[in-house]
Amino acid sequence: MGIQYCGRGNEKKKQLPFVVAGWNVRTLLDSDHQLERKTAIVASVLNHYNIDIAALSETRFPDMGKLEEVQSGYVFFWKGLSSSETRLSGVGFAIRSSIVRCLDTLPHGVSDRTMSLRIPLRNGRYMTIISVYAPTLGDTVETKE
């Protein structure tokens, strides 16, 4: 799979493959004793492994938003519960900035457990990636429903 005229590099008329991953980050919320933002750490790891798009779960960020880690070249999108609620879930995407510039639409947050990303391919075709959070075994039946 790849994106023509988009993604890695600037070569024209060349289909470039991209790497997609999934990661349960446990939280992207920063704590007071951290030296570096968690989004910066995640972006650094993604860059190290040459990941172009990562579907993230358990982000725990409130509401819906976007944050760019300029130095590492990733943009984070997320959807979570409101800031007044206890947030143990949350989903999102970390996408290379060069790919974000080529998107027709930004990722769409359906709920704190589901977010979709529509990526234009060539010949008018699209690929949809869905980031989903599912509660673990230790959660109550109510939470799982």
Side-chain angles (χ1 to χ4, degrees):
M1 264 182 262
I3 297 178
Q4 195 168 9
Y5 302 104
C6 191
R8 289 191 212 155
N10 292 321
E11 302 87 4
K12 289 188 176 184
K13 295 186 179 181
K14 184 175 181 184
Q15 186 171 342
L16 302 170
F18 57 94
V19 180
V20 179
W23 188 356
N24 183 336
V25 293
R26 302 285 292 167
T27 185
L28 288 176
L29 296 173
D30 294 326
S31 61
D32 294 335
H33 64 277
Q34 281 182 264
L35 298 176
E36 193 174 12
R37 289 178 319 280
K38 288 195 179 176
T39 53
I41 295 168
V42 168
S44 176
V45 171
L46 294 174
N47 199 36
H48 174 78
Y49 287 105
N50 212 21
I51 304 295
D52 296 309
I53 300 170
L56 308 174
S57 61
E58 282 192 42
T59 60
R60 300 186 186 191
F61 272 165
D63 306 313
M64 188 162 59
K66 169 185 164 184
L67 178 137
E68 184 166 6
E69 287 292 345
V70 176
Q71 190 171 20
S72 57
Y74 283 88
V75 180
F76 288 79
F77 298 90
W78 68 87
K79 173 73 172 153
L81 294 173
S82 71
S83 54
S84 63
E85 297 179 78
T86 303
R87 298 180 312 274
L88 299 176
S89 57
V91 292
F93 286 101
I95 308 169
R96 279 196 196 273
S97 301
S98 58
I99 294 174
V100 171
R101 288 191 291 271
C102 299
L103 297 176
D104 295 339
T105 59
L106 297 178
H108 173 68
V110 177
S111 71
D112 66 309
R113 294 185 185 181
T114 309
M115 185 173 231
S116 65
L117 169 63
R118 189 172 189 227
I119 301 170
L121 302 175
R122 58 186 187 176
N123 299 327
R125 297 184 337 191
Y126 289 85
M127 174 176 64
T128 301
I129 301 173
I130 301 173
S131 179
V132 177
Y133 167 75
T136 58
L137 286 174
D139 286 320
T140 65
V141 173
E142 286 178 352
T143 302
K144 291 178 186 179
E145 295 295 324

